[in-house]
PDB file of all heavy atoms in Angstrom:
ATOM      1  N   SER A1245     197.450 -91.216 112.648  1.00 66.00           N
ATOM      2  CA  SER A1245     196.964 -92.529 113.090  1.00 66.00           C
ATOM      3  C   SER A1245     196.216 -92.463 114.405  1.00 66.00           C
ATOM      4  O   SER A1245     195.369 -93.305 114.672  1.00 66.00           O
ATOM      5  CB  SER A1245     198.135 -93.490 113.199  1.00 66.00           C
ATOM      6  OG  SER A1245     199.116 -92.948 114.042  1.00 66.00           O
ATOM      7  N   ILE A1246     196.542 -91.505 115.234  1.00 67.00           N
ATOM      8  CA  ILE A1246     195.828 -91.471 116.510  1.00 67.00           C
ATOM      9  C   ILE A1246     194.923 -90.252 116.612  1.00 67.00           C
ATOM     10  O   ILE A1246     194.402 -89.934 117.669  1.00 67.00           O
ATOM     11  CB  ILE A1246     196.795 -91.507 117.724  1.00 67.00           C
ATOM     12  CG1 ILE A1246     197.823 -90.384 117.638  1.00 67.00           C
ATOM     13  CG2 ILE A1246     197.455 -92.839 117.851  1.00 67.00           C
ATOM     14  CD1 ILE A1246     198.648 -90.271 118.902  1.00 67.00           C
ATOM     15  N   LEU A1247     194.720 -89.621 115.469  1.00 64.00           N
ATOM     16  CA  LEU A1247     193.920 -88.401 115.494  1.00 64.00           C
ATOM     17  C   LEU A1247     192.490 -88.686 115.922  1.00 64.00           C
ATOM     18  O   LEU A1247     191.877 -87.909 116.631  1.00 64.00           O
ATOM     19  CB  LEU A1247     193.951 -87.756 114.108  1.00 64.00           C
ATOM     20  CG  LEU A1247     193.365 -86.366 114.009  1.00 64.00           C
ATOM     21  CD1 LEU A1247     194.135 -85.419 114.884  1.00 64.00           C
ATOM     22  CD2 LEU A1247     193.375 -85.896 112.584  1.00 64.00           C
ATOM     23  N   HIS A1248     191.983 -89.825 115.475  1.00 62.00           N
ATOM     24  CA  HIS A1248     190.570 -90.106 115.753  1.00 62.00           C
ATOM     25  C   HIS A1248     190.376 -90.957 116.987  1.00 62.00           C
ATOM     26  O   HIS A1248     189.267 -91.301 117.337  1.00 62.00           O
ATOM     27  CB  HIS A1248     189.953 -90.786 114.541  1.00 62.00           C
ATOM     28  CG  HIS A1248     190.060 -89.954 113.317  1.00 62.00           C
ATOM     29  ND1 HIS A1248     189.382 -88.763 113.199  1.00 62.00           N
ATOM     30  CD2 HIS A1248     190.795 -90.089 112.200  1.00 62.00           C
ATOM     31  CE1 HIS A1248     189.690 -88.227 112.034  1.00 62.00           C
ATOM     32  NE2 HIS A1248     190.549 -88.995 111.418  1.00 62.00           N
ATOM     33  N   VAL A1249     191.471 -91.305 117.602  1.00 63.00           N
ATOM     34  CA  VAL A1249     191.353 -92.094 118.822  1.00 63.00           C
ATOM     35  C   VAL A1249     191.063 -91.140 119.981  1.00 63.00           C
ATOM     36  O   VAL A1249     191.787 -90.183 120.184  1.00 63.00           O
ATOM     37  CB  VAL A1249     192.666 -92.863 119.074  1.00 63.00           C
ATOM     38  CG1 VAL A1249     192.562 -93.673 120.350  1.00 63.00           C
ATOM     39  CG2 VAL A1249     192.961 -93.759 117.897  1.00 63.00           C
ATOM     40  N   PRO A1250     190.010 -91.392 120.694  1.00 61.00           N
ATOM     41  CA  PRO A1250     189.748 -90.487 121.818  1.00 61.00           C
ATOM     42  C   PRO A1250     190.843 -90.596 122.868  1.00 61.00           C
ATOM     43  O   PRO A1250     191.377 -91.676 123.088  1.00 61.00           O
ATOM     44  CB  PRO A1250     188.426 -91.009 122.385  1.00 61.00           C
ATOM     45  CG  PRO A1250     187.903 -91.982 121.416  1.00 61.00           C
ATOM     46  CD  PRO A1250     189.025 -92.446 120.586  1.00 61.00           C
ATOM     47  N   PHE A1251     191.149 -89.467 123.469  1.00 62.00           N
ATOM     48  CA  PHE A1251     192.156 -89.473 124.529  1.00 62.00           C
ATOM     49  C   PHE A1251     191.607 -90.264 125.697  1.00 62.00           C
ATOM     50  O   PHE A1251     190.467 -90.102 126.098  1.00 62.00           O
ATOM     51  CB  PHE A1251     192.435 -88.049 125.003  1.00 62.00           C
ATOM     52  CG  PHE A1251     193.427 -87.338 124.154  1.00 62.00           C
ATOM     53  CD1 PHE A1251     193.879 -87.893 122.979  1.00 62.00           C
ATOM     54  CD2 PHE A1251     193.921 -86.103 124.539  1.00 62.00           C
ATOM     55  CE1 PHE A1251     194.788 -87.222 122.205  1.00 62.00           C
ATOM     56  CE2 PHE A1251     194.823 -85.426 123.764  1.00 62.00           C
ATOM     57  CZ  PHE A1251     195.252 -85.991 122.598  1.00 62.00           C
ATOM     58  N   LEU A1252     192.431 -91.098 126.233  1.00 57.00           N
ATOM     59  CA  LEU A1252     192.010 -91.819 127.420  1.00 57.00           C
ATOM     60  C   LEU A1252     192.196 -90.901 128.605  1.00 57.00           C
ATOM     61  O   LEU A1252     193.077 -90.068 128.627  1.00 57.00           O
ATOM     62  CB  LEU A1252     192.878 -93.062 127.593  1.00 57.00           C
ATOM     63  CG  LEU A1252     192.749 -94.032 126.454  1.00 57.00           C
ATOM     64  CD1 LEU A1252     193.957 -94.919 126.394  1.00 57.00           C
ATOM     65  CD2 LEU A1252     191.506 -94.860 126.620  1.00 57.00           C
ATOM     66  N   ARG A1253     191.337 -91.102 129.565  1.00 58.00           N
ATOM     67  CA  ARG A1253     191.485 -90.264 130.765  1.00 58.00           C
ATOM     68  C   ARG A1253     192.492 -90.904 131.672  1.00 58.00           C
ATOM     69  O   ARG A1253     192.157 -91.568 132.628  1.00 58.00           O
ATOM     70  CB  ARG A1253     190.145 -90.113 131.454  1.00 58.00           C
ATOM     71  CG  ARG A1253     189.582 -88.757 131.231  1.00 58.00           C
ATOM     72  CD  ARG A1253     188.582 -88.446 132.288  1.00 58.00           C
ATOM     73  NE  ARG A1253     189.185 -87.642 133.324  1.00 58.00           N
ATOM     74  CZ  ARG A1253     188.462 -86.933 134.168  1.00 58.00           C
ATOM     75  NH1 ARG A1253     187.173 -86.950 134.104  1.00 58.00           N
ATOM     76  NH2 ARG A1253     189.048 -86.217 135.093  1.00 58.00           N
ATOM     77  N   ASN A1254     193.720 -90.736 131.328  1.00 61.00           N
ATOM     78  CA  ASN A1254     194.763 -91.254 132.205  1.00 61.00           C
ATOM     79  C   ASN A1254     194.754 -90.442 133.474  1.00 61.00           C
ATOM     80  O   ASN A1254     194.867 -89.233 133.427  1.00 61.00           O
ATOM     81  CB  ASN A1254     196.126 -91.088 131.528  1.00 61.00           C
ATOM     82  CG  ASN A1254     196.424 -92.214 130.597  1.00 61.00           C
ATOM     83  OD1 ASN A1254     195.514 -92.905 130.154  1.00 61.00           O
ATOM     84  ND2 ASN A1254     197.668 -92.417 130.308  1.00 61.00           N
ATOM     85  N   PRO A1255     194.608 -91.097 134.587  1.00 62.00           N
ATOM     86  CA  PRO A1255     194.678 -90.301 135.806  1.00 62.00           C
ATOM     87  C   PRO A1255     196.067 -89.709 135.963  1.00 62.00           C
ATOM     88  O   PRO A1255     197.076 -90.355 135.656  1.00 62.00           O
ATOM     89  CB  PRO A1255     194.380 -91.309 136.908  1.00 62.00           C
ATOM     90  CG  PRO A1255     194.615 -92.637 136.311  1.00 62.00           C
ATOM     91  CD  PRO A1255     194.421 -92.505 134.847  1.00 62.00           C
ATOM     92  N   LEU A1256     196.101 -88.495 136.386  1.00 67.00           N
ATOM     93  CA  LEU A1256     197.390 -87.844 136.592  1.00 67.00           C
ATOM     94  C   LEU A1256     198.026 -88.431 137.837  1.00 67.00           C
ATOM     95  O   LEU A1256     197.374 -88.577 138.862  1.00 67.00           O
ATOM     96  CB  LEU A1256     197.171 -86.353 136.783  1.00 67.00           C
ATOM     97  CG  LEU A1256     196.804 -85.595 135.536  1.00 67.00           C
ATOM     98  CD1 LEU A1256     196.058 -84.344 135.873  1.00 67.00           C
ATOM     99  CD2 LEU A1256     198.055 -85.260 134.780  1.00 67.00           C
ATOM    100  N   ARG A1257     199.240 -88.781 137.728  1.00 69.00           N
ATOM    101  CA  ARG A1257     199.937 -89.323 138.886  1.00 69.00           C
ATOM    102  C   ARG A1257     200.722 -88.197 139.547  1.00 69.00           C
ATOM    103  O   ARG A1257     201.453 -87.476 138.889  1.00 69.00           O
ATOM    104  CB  ARG A1257     200.889 -90.422 138.454  1.00 69.00           C
ATOM    105  CG  ARG A1257     200.195 -91.532 137.726  1.00 69.00           C
ATOM    106  CD  ARG A1257     200.682 -92.877 138.196  1.00 69.00           C
ATOM    107  NE  ARG A1257     199.915 -93.940 137.581  1.00 69.00           N
ATOM    108  CZ  ARG A1257     198.730 -94.339 138.009  1.00 69.00           C
ATOM    109  NH1 ARG A1257     198.193 -93.789 139.063  1.00 69.00           N
ATOM    110  NH2 ARG A1257     198.090 -95.298 137.387  1.00 69.00           N
ATOM    111  N   CYS A1258     200.517 -88.113 140.834  1.00 69.00           N
ATOM    112  CA  CYS A1258     201.218 -87.059 141.548  1.00 69.00           C
ATOM    113  C   CYS A1258     202.719 -87.313 141.515  1.00 69.00           C
ATOM    114  O   CYS A1258     203.522 -86.398 141.582  1.00 69.00           O
ATOM    115  CB  CYS A1258     200.754 -87.013 142.977  1.00 69.00           C
ATOM    116  SG  CYS A1258     198.999 -86.889 143.100  1.00 69.00           S
ATOM    117  N   SER A1259     203.081 -88.590 141.374  1.00 68.00           N
ATOM    118  CA  SER A1259     204.507 -88.898 141.364  1.00 68.00           C
ATOM    119  C   SER A1259     205.172 -88.293 140.138  1.00 68.00           C
ATOM    120  O   SER A1259     206.314 -87.853 140.200  1.00 68.00           O
ATOM    121  CB  SER A1259     204.707 -90.403 141.373  1.00 68.00           C
ATOM    122  OG  SER A1259     203.936 -91.003 140.370  1.00 68.00           O
ATOM    123  N   SER A1260     204.425 -88.258 139.028  1.00 68.00           N
ATOM    124  CA  SER A1260     205.020 -87.685 137.826  1.00 68.00           C
ATOM    125  C   SER A1260     205.216 -86.189 138.002  1.00 68.00           C
ATOM    126  O   SER A1260     205.995 -85.568 137.301  1.00 68.00           O
ATOM    127  CB  SER A1260     204.126 -87.964 136.620  1.00 68.00           C
ATOM    128  OG  SER A1260     202.921 -87.258 136.744  1.00 68.00           O
ATOM    129  N   MET A1261     204.498 -85.628 138.941  1.00 68.00           N
ATOM    130  CA  MET A1261     204.620 -84.197 139.157  1.00 68.00           C
ATOM    131  C   MET A1261     205.834 -83.885 140.022  1.00 68.00           C
ATOM    132  O   MET A1261     206.629 -83.002 139.699  1.00 68.00           O
ATOM    133  CB  MET A1261     203.356 -83.722 139.855  1.00 68.00           C
ATOM    134  CG  MET A1261     203.350 -82.269 140.110  1.00 68.00           C
ATOM    135  SD  MET A1261     201.822 -81.861 140.919  1.00 68.00           S
ATOM    136  CE  MET A1261     202.414 -80.616 141.994  1.00 68.00           C
ATOM    137  N   VAL A1262     205.983 -84.631 141.114  1.00 66.00           N
ATOM    138  CA  VAL A1262     207.094 -84.321 141.991  1.00 66.00           C
ATOM    139  C   VAL A1262     208.399 -84.904 141.460  1.00 66.00           C
ATOM    140  O   VAL A1262     209.474 -84.440 141.791  1.00 66.00           O
ATOM    141  CB  VAL A1262     206.828 -84.834 143.427  1.00 66.00           C
ATOM    142  CG1 VAL A1262     205.718 -84.046 144.060  1.00 66.00           C
ATOM    143  CG2 VAL A1262     206.500 -86.307 143.451  1.00 66.00           C
ATOM    144  N   ASN A1263     208.265 -85.917 140.628  1.00 65.00           N
ATOM    145  CA  ASN A1263     209.464 -86.593 140.158  1.00 65.00           C
ATOM    146  C   ASN A1263     209.223 -87.064 138.733  1.00 65.00           C
ATOM    147  O   ASN A1263     208.882 -88.214 138.503  1.00 65.00           O
ATOM    148  CB  ASN A1263     209.745 -87.785 141.092  1.00 65.00           C
ATOM    149  CG  ASN A1263     211.082 -88.385 140.824  1.00 65.00           C
ATOM    150  OD1 ASN A1263     211.924 -87.786 140.166  1.00 65.00           O
ATOM    151  ND2 ASN A1263     211.269 -89.586 141.312  1.00 65.00           N
ATOM    152  N   PRO A1264     209.325 -86.172 137.749  1.00 61.00           N
ATOM    153  CA  PRO A1264     208.943 -86.552 136.400  1.00 61.00           C
ATOM    154  C   PRO A1264     209.820 -87.668 135.840  1.00 61.00           C
ATOM    155  O   PRO A1264     211.040 -87.644 135.973  1.00 61.00           O
ATOM    156  CB  PRO A1264     209.103 -85.255 135.602  1.00 61.00           C
ATOM    157  CG  PRO A1264     209.844 -84.331 136.462  1.00 61.00           C
ATOM    158  CD  PRO A1264     209.820 -84.820 137.861  1.00 61.00           C
ATOM    159  N   THR A1265     209.149 -88.635 135.238  1.00 59.00           N
ATOM    160  CA  THR A1265     209.872 -89.758 134.655  1.00 59.00           C
ATOM    161  C   THR A1265     210.175 -89.452 133.197  1.00 59.00           C
ATOM    162  O   THR A1265     209.369 -88.837 132.514  1.00 59.00           O
ATOM    163  CB  THR A1265     209.008 -91.023 134.714  1.00 59.00           C
ATOM    164  OG1 THR A1265     207.688 -90.677 134.282  1.00 59.00           O
ATOM    165  CG2 THR A1265     208.952 -91.589 136.109  1.00 59.00           C
ATOM    166  N   PRO A1266     211.302 -89.901 132.708  1.00 58.00           N
ATOM    167  CA  PRO A1266     211.585 -89.658 131.300  1.00 58.00           C
ATOM    168  C   PRO A1266     210.660 -90.483 130.418  1.00 58.00           C
ATOM    169  O   PRO A1266     210.088 -91.474 130.865  1.00 58.00           O
ATOM    170  CB  PRO A1266     213.037 -90.113 131.153  1.00 58.00           C
ATOM    171  CG  PRO A1266     213.266 -91.038 132.293  1.00 58.00           C
ATOM    172  CD  PRO A1266     212.372 -90.597 133.407  1.00 58.00           C
ATOM    173  N   LEU A1267     210.506 -90.050 129.211  1.00 54.00           N
ATOM    174  CA  LEU A1267     209.629 -90.753 128.283  1.00 54.00           C
ATOM    175  C   LEU A1267     210.157 -92.158 128.041  1.00 54.00           C
ATOM    176  O   LEU A1267     211.358 -92.375 127.932  1.00 54.00           O
ATOM    177  CB  LEU A1267     209.563 -90.006 126.948  1.00 54.00           C
ATOM    178  CG  LEU A1267     208.780 -88.707 126.941  1.00 54.00           C
ATOM    179  CD1 LEU A1267     208.815 -88.109 125.552  1.00 54.00           C
ATOM    180  CD2 LEU A1267     207.350 -88.936 127.352  1.00 54.00           C
ATOM    181  N   ALA A1268     209.226 -93.100 127.993  1.00 51.00           N
ATOM    182  CA  ALA A1268     209.620 -94.496 127.845  1.00 51.00           C
ATOM    183  C   ALA A1268     210.271 -94.734 126.488  1.00 51.00           C
ATOM    184  O   ALA A1268     211.255 -95.445 126.380  1.00 51.00           O
ATOM    185  CB  ALA A1268     208.403 -95.388 128.011  1.00 51.00           C
TER     186      ALA A1268
END
Side-chain angles (χ1 to χ4, degrees):
Chain A
S1245 55
I1246 55 172
L1247 190 62
H1248 301 293
V1249 179
F1251 276 8
L1252 298 158
R1253 254 202 98 161
N1254 276 21
L1256 287 156
R1257 302 224 174 279
C1258 307
S1259 51
S1260 67
M1261 181 180 144
V1262 292
N1263 190 15
T1265 45
L1267 288 180

